[in-house]
Amino acid sequence: LLSPLLFFSIPTDRTHLIADPVKKPRQRYVQKDGKCNVHHGNVQETYRYLSDLFTTLVDLRWRLSFFIFTLVYVVNWLFFGLLWWLIALIRGDLLHADEEGWTPCVENLNSFVSAFLFSIETETTIGYGYRVITEKCPEGIILLLVQAILGSIVNAMMVGCMFVKISQPKNRAETLMFSHKAVISLRDNKLCLMFRVGDLRNSHIVEASIRAKLIRSEQTKEGEFIPLNQTDINIGFDTGDDRLFLVSPLIISHEINEKSPFWEMSQAQIEKEEFEIVVILEGMVEATGMTCQARSSYLDTEVLWGYRFTPVLSLEKGFYEVDYNNFHDIYEANTPSCSAKELAARLRDGQLLPHLPLLSPEPRAHNQNRLSFRDPLSVEDEEDKAGEANNGSAAGLQENPPPKD
C-alpha cells in the first residue's frame, strides 16, 4: 500500500497518453530568426512609400538595391550626355568641328558617344583632359554647374543608402542567440518560465533590455474575437531584471504569479493551449552606437514542462569560459504538474513543505527528437523505497539508542 502522505505530494505526471491527438503544426507570428511572418496586402495608399524614399530604398532587397543603384547612375549620365549633345548640335559644333578658328562648347565632342563619355567624366570628376569645356559657352557653364550639384545629390543619396544598408544594426542581431526551447520548472518553490539568451561577440550590447509578449487569440465576454492578442509577460520590469549585462549567456526567468497569464494553467492545460511567446532583445551596438533589436519566438510545442538548462559557464585558469555546445541543452527536473495557483495554495496550507526537498532527481539530458518522460509508477516506487529507507534508519536508531550520560 502507498503511504498516505503521497496523497498530499506534488503531482509529477510527465506521461503522455498514446491516444492523445498530435497537435497540428501552427503558423508562426514571428520566425525563429526574428522575421515577422506578416504580409501587408491590398495597400491602397502606396504613395506613402515615396514620401519616405530613403527608407524605402534601404528596405529593398539587395538585388533590387544594386539594380536601382546602377540604373540611377546610368540614367543620370545618359540624361546629361543628351543635354551636352543637344548643346553641341544647336551650336553647330558637330558640323564645324574640323574647321580652323571654330571654338566649340566642348572640345573633341563630335558624337553622342563622346557627349556621354564627357558626362561621365564631369560627374565622376575623372578629368582625362581630352574633352574640355571652353569659356565661350555660357550655356555649357550653366549645365556644368547643374550637373555638378545634381550629381553630388545623387552620390550622397545612393552612397548613403548603400552605407546604411551595409551597416544596418540587424546584422549585429545575427550574433545574438536564443535557446531553441523554453522550459517551465521550479525556482525557489515557484513555477517559472525560462529561456536562455547569449551574445557571441566580444563587443557587448550596451543598455540591453529584454521583454516578452504572449500571442494568443482570445474572445471577450461580449463575444468579440481578438485574433493574435498581445499580452505582456513580466520578466523583471518592476525589479529591473529586464536590464541585462549580457557578457555571458543568461537564463531569463518569468515568475508565474497572480499577474501571469499562465497562473491558472497546469501542464495538461498548457499542452492543449495554442499560443506563441515572442521575445525581444534590444540594446545599442557598442561599436557604432546604433540601436539593435533581436527577436525570436516559442510556440506552445516548444515550451517544455519540467526541464532546466544545462550550465554553460566554467571557471578556467584566469578567465571564465562559455561552452556554446551546451547552449540549447536541457535536462529533466522533477516538477509539479499542477498549476502555479494550485501550488501556491498547497504551499500556503503547509501540505507540501515536507516533500519539496525530494523534488530534485538526477539530471538527465533531453533528446531533441523524442521526449523521455518518467513513469509516475517509478516515481512512486522510488518514494516508497525512500520511505522504507527512512523508516529503517529510524528503527535502527530506536534499536540502538545513544548511551546516556
Side-chain angles (χ1 to χ4, degrees), residues 129 222 236 300 378:
E222 294 78 15
D300 49 276
S378 64

Side-chain angles (χ1 to χ4, degrees), residues 53-54 56-58 60-78 123-124 151-166:
L53 184 59
F54 185 82
T56 302
L57 294 175
V58 172
L60 291 177
R61 296 183 177 180
W62 274 107
R63 56 176 178 268
L64 290 178
S65 297
F66 280 123
F67 174 75
I68 293 178
F69 186 84
T70 304
L71 182 64
V72 168
Y73 277 106
V74 171
V75 170
N76 188 42
W77 294 335
L78 286 173
E123 190 162 330
T124 57
S152 299
I153 296 175
V154 171
N155 288 334
M157 179 171 290
M158 291 295 102
V159 174
C161 286
M162 297 302 293
F163 175 78
V164 172
K165 194 170 183 65
I166 292 173

